Amino acid sequence: MPETEKKGKSSKLLATLKDMTTLLGIIATVVTLYIGVDEHRLQGTQSRAEHFLSIRHQFRDSESFRQITEWITNNDDTLRNLSPEKKANYAGFFEELALLVNSEQVRIEVVSYTFGFYAIQCWESKKFWHGLEQDGWVLLKDFVHQMKQAKQTMQYRRDEFRF
């Protein structure tokens, strides 16, 4: 085989090896990027779940919130004499949930399932709002509207009940 023919085959082989190496590098980069993005997504989901569960515990473990919830559920006259600060903390809790929903940090289906009933009961309790200006709570008003809509249209679908 002539020398120029050997050099031509050798140079084609080197070019092919170079192209294959470049292609493998690109594939490795894409796979690494995919793994990184997936890991970031999983960490975000875990963080949202932890935050939501801490909020849920805050609501369920707070003696003040438990008492107010019971009074609202029973339409108790004690609500009329409840301090404006305690009422604001309770209503403000639902506004914080509204912010999480509006920021797409928590799915509305999960919030509605867990807290919707309590938010609606709070909003509709005349005794709770005695002594407070309800019209100023526009975020809560919108949140309750969202909770009512979600309640009317809610059907359990596993893919929607997730963080």
Side-chain angles (χ1 to χ4, degrees):
M1 187 180 301
E3 190 66 31
T4 55
E5 209 175 295
K6 285 182 183 179
K7 283 185 179 179
K9 285 185 178 182
S10 173
S11 131
K12 285 183 182 177
L13 181 61
L14 284 174
T16 302
L17 286 173
K18 181 181 171 190
D19 290 345
M20 288 177 68
T21 304
T22 301
L23 184 59
L24 286 173
I26 291 171
I27 290 171
T29 301
V30 169
V31 168
T32 302
L33 179 63
Y34 175 79
I35 290 170
V37 167
D38 193 49
E39 181 64 28
H40 180 70
R41 181 188 59 81
L42 289 174
Q43 287 177 356
T45 300
Q46 180 179 358
S47 175
R48 285 192 303 277
E50 289 171 355
H51 188 197
F52 181 79
L53 292 174
S54 77
I55 289 170
R56 183 173 165 264
H57 287 295
Q58 173 190 350
F59 185 75
R60 300 247 165 107
D61 295 343
S62 166
E63 181 59 38
S64 177
F65 281 11
R66 275 200 313 264
Q67 189 64 67
I68 293 170
T69 300
E70 183 180 323
W71 289 334
I72 289 173
T73 303
N74 296 328
N75 196 28
D76 195 306
D77 287 332
T78 307
L79 290 167
R80 292 181 182 277
N81 300 322
L82 191 62
S83 75
E85 181 184 345
K86 286 186 179 184
K87 290 179 180 181
N89 285 339
Y90 189 81
F93 173 83
F94 297 114
E95 286 197 328
E96 289 174 14
L97 285 172
L99 290 172
L100 290 173
V101 169
N102 293 347
S103 303
E104 298 180 357
Q105 294 298 306
V106 182
R107 298 176 65 86
I108 192 167
E109 295 83 3
V110 175
V111 172
S112 173
Y113 183 79
T114 310
F115 298 106
F117 172 80
Y118 303 112
I120 293 167
Q121 292 294 308
C122 173
W123 184 257
E124 293 178 349
S125 171
K126 292 184 182 349
K127 292 177 182 177
F128 178 86
W129 290 102
H130 176 79
L132 284 182
E133 184 58 48
Q134 191 175 19
D135 292 338
W137 293 81
V138 292
L139 184 58
L140 178 58
K141 180 180 181 179
D142 181 60
F143 180 67
V144 168
H145 178 72
Q146 289 179 58
M147 295 297 99
K148 286 180 177 181
Q149 283 183 324
K151 182 180 173 185
Q152 289 175 352
T153 61
M154 187 184 322
Q155 294 178 359
Y156 176 75
R157 287 188 287 276
R158 184 180 299 161
D159 63 324
E160 292 178 357
F161 280 84
R162 59 185 169 78
F163 293 105

